[in-house]
Amino acid sequence: MAARKSKATPNPAQREDGSRSKKTPRGGTDLDARNSAADDLTVRLIRDSAQVVHQHIGQQRKPDLAFPIRSLKNVRYSEKKGYFEIGNQKKVRALTVNTVKSFAQTLRMMGLSKELVESNDFATKRDAYYQSKNWEEARFDEQTESDAVMDDIEAMFSLQGVSREQLRFIPDEHGGAVSGRLIVLDPDRETGRVERIDCTRFGSGAYSIPSLVEQLSFETDAKFILAVETGGMFQRLQSHKFWQTADCILVSMAGVPTRATRRFIRKLSDECKIPVYAFVDCDPYGVSNIYRTLKVGSGNAAHLSQFFCVPQARYLGVTPQDISEYELPTHPLQDVDIKRAKDALKNDPFFKLHKPWQQAINQLLQMGVRAEQQALAKWGLNYVIEEYLPRKLAHPEHFLP
Amino acid sequence: MAARKSKATPNPAQREDGSRSKKTPRGGTDLDARNSAADDLTVRLIRDSAQVVHQHIGQQRKPDLAFPIRSLKNVRYSEKKGYFEIGNQKKVRALTVNTVKSFAQTLRMMGLSKELVESNDFATKRDAYYQSKNWEEARFDEQTESDAVMDDIEAMFSLQGVSREQLRFIPDEHGGAVSGRLIVLDPDRETGRVERIDCTRFGSGAYSIPSLVEQLSFETDAKFILAVETGGMFQRLQSHKFWQTADCILVSMAGVPTRATRRFIRKLSDECKIPVYAFVDCDPYGVSNIYRTLKVGSGNAAHLSQFFCVPQARYLGVTPQDISEYELPTHPLQDVDIKRAKDALKNDPFFKLHKPWQQAINQLLQMGVRAEQQALAKWGLNYVIEEYLPRKLAHPEHFLP
């Protein structure tokens, strides 16, 4: 193992900063130094924002905070960057009699983030909401309110290259499962001692991705990452050790991949320079929700895409072409499928830019059917391992973009 | 570690059988011998059923198969057994002109199970459906049909102590996450070499439970298993190594626990003789769906309860009492919550039998509120680790049944 170690691809915060931390690193490794540098930057950015507010008050001027507008209308997509980017439109929250509560809440939420970084801890959206119950007049009455404030702060700092995870806000949802030719290095949050987690050694089980993956680094000699839609297919590939014969890393997305799963794949692929192939159902949902979200992000969370999407991902299958070539059992497209496919062709910047995708989606609409990845079981339960995947993997140049 | 090894609590099939396999065990361990014995029994039971059908045909009698009725009306609950049991009502499927297709499909599905056991493989419901596409006239047109046939076969063999997993039918869903003072032993399906999976060594990540857990055994010196409702709370306990200070095993259920998660907890608790404590939200859903399903099973899948429920589980919290004692932030009960609570009191054999639960649910209805487990964050993000759980764990005798 360990042919390729994760290279010090600087994380986004470091790109902005460039400097190394002056704090004593927790464990003395490069990794710690990199994480400390990112943490220092996060704290400095929070402090800077607060100081501007403080100065304005000192000068008897009305302080304000400007947040990017989070909506599909404020999104850019270029093939070169490879992900949905948030645009330039902003909303300004000035301190007035009417906004005093939400203004105070925003500052307290930024203060919570600073505390979390300094104590090396984290909070989910739920945690943050309940924390606020002790903020007296600044407490939130509903979690939807605190969620919106957290999203705004996240969007504001994303412009400076800081991700939500660097602010120490983590998702409530679980991460995906991983197995195969990969060692994950995870420093202990207290002692800094690095745990080496060998993903070939989980038997029929797997490694479950933590909610926060920024601190991880990797060693691998795998040739590619295979991101699999369903738990059932992942279990088949894992139990038959497909990763051994194919020299790869398997990731179970279990539907639309969670944020931690996407960030994990992105970081792993970036740092170890290995390609990512997606293996999902051939239907408008698999293509335009699961694959598109994995690759370029989603419209209403474009401020996250720079960190979470995997622009290098390519689509192995199941393709409309596969349906006829492998004579797969199909289901007819429902109205909702047809609507989703037509929407993708008409409104989605990603599909509008990629001709091969327009052809594939049109082909699917003409055929009027969809097929699940497990439909390959028609030819035998392990046909997918023995025939389908090896044939596909011999020609990555045929994968859809 | 390794104070307690999993004892050879015979698995259900062995209880019926008692004999050891005559096959050469795959890896030569006790575990393999036990699994082989279970496999031999499964194959023999399938063969016996088929032979009866064959004999009847030879004698020019109409063959039939009898399946237990799967519905809430055919369910028994006794505190002594501790789980919902399927009753004695049966439906008989005789071979006639009208039933010839479903009769053939049932036999083919039993044949598939036999093949899976003999090749040491497995199939999900989806897999089985697509496999049938090669059964010519016996192929299924819809997955709902093949699911129902699989459920019937499963219910029929459950009367003889054989679980769906022994038939090698596995769920499509993912398993929960585990960390803490536990070593999982998992024999390789081809070589029989046993992988030792140390659940203290996953950093901030965790062990992801496989879909099929029958082959696993355990070593542990943990004092209890803590089954946690939300991914966010699990991540907090895991990242702060709560399992180390509390000498325990953490399991993330992520809502209603999947079948693999329940079977894993049950097997671990049975074989290592350690108690199971549930830590869920204080609302009618947490109590009557998550906890009740974990402990005694669900009404419409009672034929599974003997294998999947965890009758030894007890309810640590959050209790209605905790809401007032810890002054937790609450949400008002919605109509759907109130209906669920009243249904539980009136119709659920489990709650009808346990007075302390009736009192607790009535108290919740009177208070008119619910509270999430993360509401404890009001007192500090790690209050749950430093105060709440230690106080609770000092008095397991106060846990709800």
Side-chain angles (χ1 to χ4, degrees), chain A residues 245-271:
Chain A
T245 43
D247 273 341
C248 72
I249 298 162
L250 302 170
V251 180
S252 166
M253 299 191 286
V256 176
T258 63
R259 190 191 286 220
T261 306
R262 285 186 280 149
R263 179 74 184 134
F264 182 89
I265 296 175
R266 163 72 176 279
K267 221 172 122 72
L268 174 58
S269 170
D270 271 4
E271 297 185 6

Side-chain angles (χ1 to χ4, degrees), chain A residues 121-122 126 130-131 134 186 188 195 201 204 206 208 211 215 235-236 241 372 374 377-378 382, chain B residues 121-122 126 130-131 134 186 188 195 201 204 206 208 211 215 235-236 241 372 374 377-378 382:
Chain A
D121 211 330
F122 55 83
R126 260 196 187 191
Y130 286 116
Q131 269 275 290
N134 255 344
D186 189 352
D188 186 274
E195 199 67 78
R201 306 298 300 275
S204 54
S208 175
S211 308
Q215 77 287 6
Q235 189 68 61
R236 175 153 305 282
K241 291 207 171 53
E372 295 170 339
Q374 277 156 302
K378 175 189 172 188
N382 293 313
Chain B
D121 211 330
F122 55 82
R126 260 195 186 191
Y130 286 116
Q131 269 276 288
N134 254 345
D186 188 353
D188 186 274
E195 199 66 77
R201 305 297 301 274
S204 53
S208 174
S211 307
Q215 77 286 8
Q235 189 66 61
R236 175 154 305 281
K241 291 206 171 53
E372 294 170 338
Q374 275 156 305
K378 176 189 173 188
N382 293 313

Side-chain angles (χ1 to χ4, degrees), chain A residues 229-399:
Chain A
E229 176 172 339
T230 63
M233 180 57 79
F234 175 82
Q235 189 68 61
R236 175 153 305 282
L237 299 179
Q238 159 64 349
S239 289
H240 289 264
K241 291 207 171 53
F242 178 72
W243 50 262
Q244 198 165 54
T245 43
D247 273 341
C248 72
I249 298 162
L250 302 170
V251 180
S252 166
M253 299 191 286
V256 176
T258 63
R259 190 191 286 220
T261 306
R262 285 186 280 149
R263 179 74 184 134
F264 182 89
I265 296 175
R266 163 72 176 279
K267 221 172 122 72
L268 174 58
S269 170
D270 271 4
E271 297 185 6
C272 300
K273 312 264 179 289
I274 35 179
V276 177
Y277 304 143
F279 181 25
V280 304
D281 289 349
C282 185
D283 58 30
Y285 186 79
V287 169
S288 83
N289 291 50
I290 297 180
Y291 177 68
R292 206 279 317 269
T293 303
L294 175 72
K295 185 171 172 112
V296 297
S298 63
N300 53 6
H303 61 287
L304 297 172
S305 304
Q306 59 175 316
F307 310 114
F308 288 97
C309 65
V310 186
Q312 58 267 58
R314 292 177 65 85
Y315 188 95
L316 174 148
V318 177
T319 64
Q321 191 61 34
D322 290 342
I323 294 181
S324 36
E325 208 164 302
Y326 291 88
E327 297 168 34
L328 297 181
T330 57
H331 301 276
L333 288 178
Q334 306 293 312
D335 289 348
V336 56
D337 296 317
I338 295 168
K339 186 179 174 307
R340 187 173 274 133
K342 289 190 171 161
D343 269 1
L345 289 174
K346 195 173 156 214
N347 300 319
D348 192 308
F350 173 70
F351 295 107
K352 279 161 83 174
L353 204 73
H354 291 288
K355 259 222 139 52
W357 268 119
Q358 288 165 34
Q359 286 162 354
I361 294 173
N362 276 318
Q363 189 182 352
L364 198 65
L365 283 168
Q366 271 162 21
M367 294 162 80
V369 294
R370 60 187 180 85
E372 295 170 339
Q373 55 182 181
Q374 277 156 302
L376 290 157
K378 175 189 172 188
W379 303 113
L381 289 173
N382 293 313
Y383 182 83
V384 61
I385 292 173
E386 289 151 13
E387 296 289 335
Y388 178 79
L389 286 173
R391 272 195 224 168
K392 281 279 176 174
L393 289 164
H395 296 288
E397 70 278 12
H398 296 166
F399 294 170

